[in-house]
Amino acid sequence: MRSMHVCTVAELRLQIDSTFDGVPVVGAGIRDLCARECLTPVEASMIELAVVEAVNNAIEHGYQEQPGGRIEIHVVVTASQIDAVITDAGPPIDPATFAERYEDPKSVDRSALAEGGRGLTIMRGVFDELRYARRGDRNVVTMRKTRDAAAQP
Amino acid sequence: MRVEDRSEGGVLVLTIKERRLDARSAPELKAKVGALIAQGFDWIVLDLAEVEFVDSSGLGAIVSGLKQLDQKGDLVISGASEAVVSLFKLTRMDKVFRLFPATAEAVHALDARVHRG
């Protein structure tokens, strides 16, 4: 028997109402899960950030910030990868929304900077894969990241 | 949202006294920064040392401050954690904002520019 902690498969399932008040709870749950599964605090924070962006999108665009909608969050961490699935029952999202956008700040002046619209950039930057699907009456956003083997104990 | 502001020479230091700068708190920060700029504060250090988490909404509020400055002064960041610096890099906002490890350093850099005119 090995006495050291061995990272195995761990998951988090949460449901929140469609208001921003529930989002910090999601963040705390993801940080705890990631810490238990041997991710560094910064890695855990980035996973939290990307999932929070997906949840914020569901609240803002899926439910227009109206309470009473349900958002499901499912995160699975294994030794080799991290998967996150965020589901809402809002109206379908135009898949073109998920097209990659590129901002080169050197070429824009202050007044041309966008205040919003960086959520997808963050989700794509943290995870290796970002997918959107309409399944029945639900929007399903899936993110996957391969864990860096060298960073594991 | 709890924010403290103080003047150091010609520089305003705005210290965020919250752990999260997110979709809940961003509108308030945006309004607060906007009000201070309207009062004539053009050189601003945003001290994020106590902030553990910033999302794109929080970042948007910070960008909004810079936009409201227009051609005047500057808004710089101090004390950002490694995770918050990562957010700036991911969104390339590290090319737009100067990030200082410590507030004193940020104040010093801005103060020199204030006096250069």
Side-chain angles (χ1 to χ4, degrees):
Chain A
M1 287 285 286
R2 296 163 76 184
S3 59
M4 64 179 276
H5 174 68
V6 177
C7 300
T8 52
V9 179
E11 67 178 332
L12 173 77
R13 276 182 196 275
L14 281 173
Q15 263 184 33
I16 64 163
D17 188 53
S18 48
T19 71
F20 292 125
D21 292 339
V23 178
V25 175
V26 176
I30 291 171
R31 270 199 316 281
D32 286 350
L33 173 75
C34 291
R36 272 188 280 125
E37 296 312 305
C38 309
L39 274 81
T40 68
V42 172
E43 287 172 325
S45 203
M46 298 317 284
I47 300 294
E48 173 188 2
L49 174 61
V51 175
V52 163
E53 295 296 342
V55 172
N56 283 349
N57 279 349
I59 295 170
E60 284 169 38
H61 306 299
Y63 297 114
Q64 282 75 46
E65 299 187 32
Q66 296 303 305
R70 192 169 72 176
I71 299 164
E72 293 172 13
I73 299 102
H74 186 203
V75 182
V76 180
V77 181
T78 68
S80 59
Q81 66 192 42
I82 302 156
D83 287 283
V85 182
I86 295 88
T87 308
D88 72 69
I93 303 168
D94 178 359
T97 308
F98 285 86
E100 203 148 351
R101 270 178 291 176
Y102 185 76
E103 187 175 24
D104 181 3
K106 278 179 289 189
S107 67
V108 293
D109 60 29
R110 285 178 185 176
S111 60
L113 286 170
E115 278 182 41
R118 296 190 180 89
L120 289 168
T121 302
I122 292 167
M123 289 154 69
R124 211 174 256 122
V126 172
F127 283 86
D128 303 323
E129 287 175 32
L130 168 66
R131 292 173 198 276
Y132 164 72
R134 183 76 179 173
R135 289 192 196 134
D137 58 356
R138 295 165 145 220
N139 297 310
V140 182
V141 172
T142 309
M143 299 186 285
R144 170 170 286 183
K145 178 182 175 61
T146 302
R147 289 181 71 176
D148 179 5
Q152 292 174 48
Chain B
M1 132 172 279
R2 290 169 303 145
V3 180
E4 281 178 10
D5 57 84
R6 66 176 193 275
S7 283
E8 290 193 25
V11 178
L12 181 79
V13 178
L14 207 55
T15 303
I16 309 293
K17 312 290 284 182
E18 301 281 344
R19 289 167 63 189
R20 298 179 73 86
L21 195 47
D22 58 11
R24 280 191 311 178
S25 52
E28 224 177 310
L29 176 66
K30 182 179 168 178
K32 174 84 182 165
V33 174
L36 289 164
I37 291 169
Q39 284 172 42
F41 292 103
D42 296 339
W43 298 93
I44 302 172
V45 174
L46 191 63
D47 170 9
L48 298 181
E50 293 181 36
V51 180
E52 293 170 2
F53 180 86
V54 180
D55 68 8
S56 66
S57 310
L59 184 63
I62 298 171
V63 170
S64 155
L66 191 68
K67 286 169 70 79
Q68 289 177 73
L69 279 175
D70 198 15
Q71 304 301 318
K72 301 172 292 184
D74 202 0
L75 187 158
V76 302
I77 309 296
S78 73
S81 68
E82 200 179 333
V84 173
V85 170
S86 296
L87 163 71
F88 275 81
K89 288 183 177 169
L90 262 183
T91 54
R92 302 173 67 86
M93 288 299 104
D94 61 322
K95 311 282 185 220
V96 173
F97 293 93
R98 283 193 70 187
L99 304 170
F100 293 89
T103 299
E105 210 181 318
V107 169
H108 185 74
L110 284 196
D111 204 40
R113 289 169 64 191
V114 172
H115 290 107
R116 252 197 336 258

